[in-house]
Amino acid sequence: MPYGYITKLSDKLTREHVRYNNRYETAIAADIYYVKDIDKNAKYPALIVGASYGGTKEQGLCVMPMNWHSAALSF
């Protein structure tokens, strides 16, 4: 498991790390989660989730995509 993450990533998902500077030159880091068999040429809706104050993307937010993926497969 990568440093800092509190749970193992599902073998059905891919996590892509992205980083950029905003207009104030503050570095923004994020993780993008998607299913491994996604068509990268197609357009999809996105859900953006941010950590509350004091939270990090490695501790808590990493659990949500796996729960959403599991729930989507049950429909």
Side-chain angles (χ1 to χ4, degrees), residues 25-72:
E25 295 302 316
T26 302
I28 305 294
D31 289 334
I32 300 174
Y33 293 86
Y34 51 89
V35 292
K36 288 194 175 185
D37 60 351
I38 195 169
D39 177 2
K40 289 193 174 184
N41 295 316
K43 291 187 178 185
Y44 299 95
L47 181 60
I48 299 171
V49 179
S52 59
Y53 290 100
T56 66
K57 63 183 173 49
E58 295 86 3
Q59 299 173 350
L61 294 180
C62 64
V63 176
M64 292 180 190
M66 289 183 287
N67 290 338
W68 294 331
H69 182 260
S70 298

